[in-house]
Amino acid sequence: MSTLIDFLPLIAFLISFKVAGIYVATSILSLMSALQLAYFRIKDGKFTPSKVWLFLTILFFSGLTLYFRDDAFIKWKVTIIYMAFSIFLIWNYFYGKNPFIKTLFNTIDSNMQEIPHHIITKLTLFWVLTNFSFAFVNIYVSYYFSLSTWVNFKVWGGMGTQLVMIIISLYFIFPYFPEETETETETASAAITKEDI
């Protein structure tokens, strides 16, 4: 459910662009981002700084796009967000108390084993390079391809990039997730047997 909510503004942006054009889509993006922020505020009981900054960035560049009637602002927003995230990852790795990737996967399962530092280093480098690459490719596509092509790239390319990063990261992180205990296995087996009877 959370993943769907994460991607909902992008999907709404794509659909509204196909129906009514870039400026209506930009307005919808801002609205859906506000609703998304409100949802996570209610769900988590607090505002997460990263989500607030993301919303404010979207609101700022959407406002410039609508005010000047120039889609260059909304195009640059994508590059700035991805570059800012890459810079944050670098800063967090060297100066943060806990590496972002370690914190991210610990939220999935707090009982994870300690992830080796070299794995965290490799994944952080991978995330930084991937986000920087997407940021630069976004500018290239926005200037050398049609607006429709850029919108499709922004939505599907953005979602695809994030999913690939998560899948590859899970491949390296998976061995450190806690194994099912023998007691849990016996309990599950007993429950299944009882249901079969």
Side-chain angles (χ1 to χ4, degrees):
M1 179 65 177
S2 179
T3 302
L4 176 62
I5 297 298
D6 284 333
F7 290 137
L8 197 56
L10 276 178
I11 296 171
F13 176 81
L14 176 65
I15 294 173
S16 54
F17 171 77
K18 300 293 185 184
V19 173
I22 188 64
Y23 298 115
V24 171
T26 299
S27 301
I28 294 296
L29 177 64
S30 298
L31 175 61
M32 295 304 296
S33 297
L35 293 175
Q36 180 191 60
L37 183 65
Y39 167 81
F40 283 115
R41 170 63 179 83
I42 295 170
K43 175 178 174 289
D44 300 332
K46 62 180 180 179
F47 284 113
T48 304
S50 60
K51 295 185 186 301
V52 173
W53 279 111
L54 178 61
F55 168 69
L56 292 176
T57 304
I58 291 172
L59 193 64
F60 177 73
F61 283 97
S62 296
L64 290 176
T65 299
L66 295 172
Y67 182 79
F68 291 104
R69 308 301 285 183
D70 186 349
D71 57 34
F73 293 105
I74 200 69
K75 292 175 179 177
W76 271 98
K77 179 218 59 154
V78 178
T79 287
I80 290 173
I81 286 177
Y82 276 83
M83 290 188 71
F85 184 52
S86 295
I87 293 170
F88 163 75
L89 287 173
I90 295 171
W91 177 89
N92 173 259
Y93 177 80
F94 288 106
Y95 302 107
K97 292 182 179 179
N98 288 306
F100 173 81
I101 291 176
K102 180 180 179 181
T103 302
L104 173 67
F105 285 100
N106 278 335
T107 60
I108 297 174
D109 193 326
S110 59
N111 296 318
M112 284 185 65
Q113 301 174 38
E114 185 69 21
I115 303 170
H117 185 69
H118 73 276
I119 297 291
I120 295 296
T121 300
K122 288 179 180 178
L123 289 179
T124 299
L125 179 61
F126 168 63
W127 280 46
V128 168
L129 292 176
T130 302
N131 280 278
F132 261 125
S133 299
F134 189 86
F136 284 108
V137 173
N138 172 73
I139 288 301
Y140 179 81
V141 172
S142 69
Y143 278 102
Y144 293 99
F145 291 85
S146 68
L147 179 60
S148 179
T149 299
W150 173 78
V151 168
N152 285 317
F153 171 77
K154 164 187 162 58
V155 175
W156 301 118
M159 289 194 295
T161 297
Q162 293 177 50
L163 287 174
V164 167
M165 287 194 302
I166 292 295
I167 291 170
I168 291 177
S169 299
L170 282 172
Y171 172 80
F172 288 98
I173 298 295
F174 186 76
Y176 304 99
F177 280 100
E179 296 181 1
E180 187 179 30
T181 64
E182 186 176 345
T183 303
E184 290 173 336
T185 304
E186 292 174 352
T187 302
S189 299
I192 293 172
T193 304
K194 186 176 180 181
E195 288 177 2
D196 291 341
I197 294 173

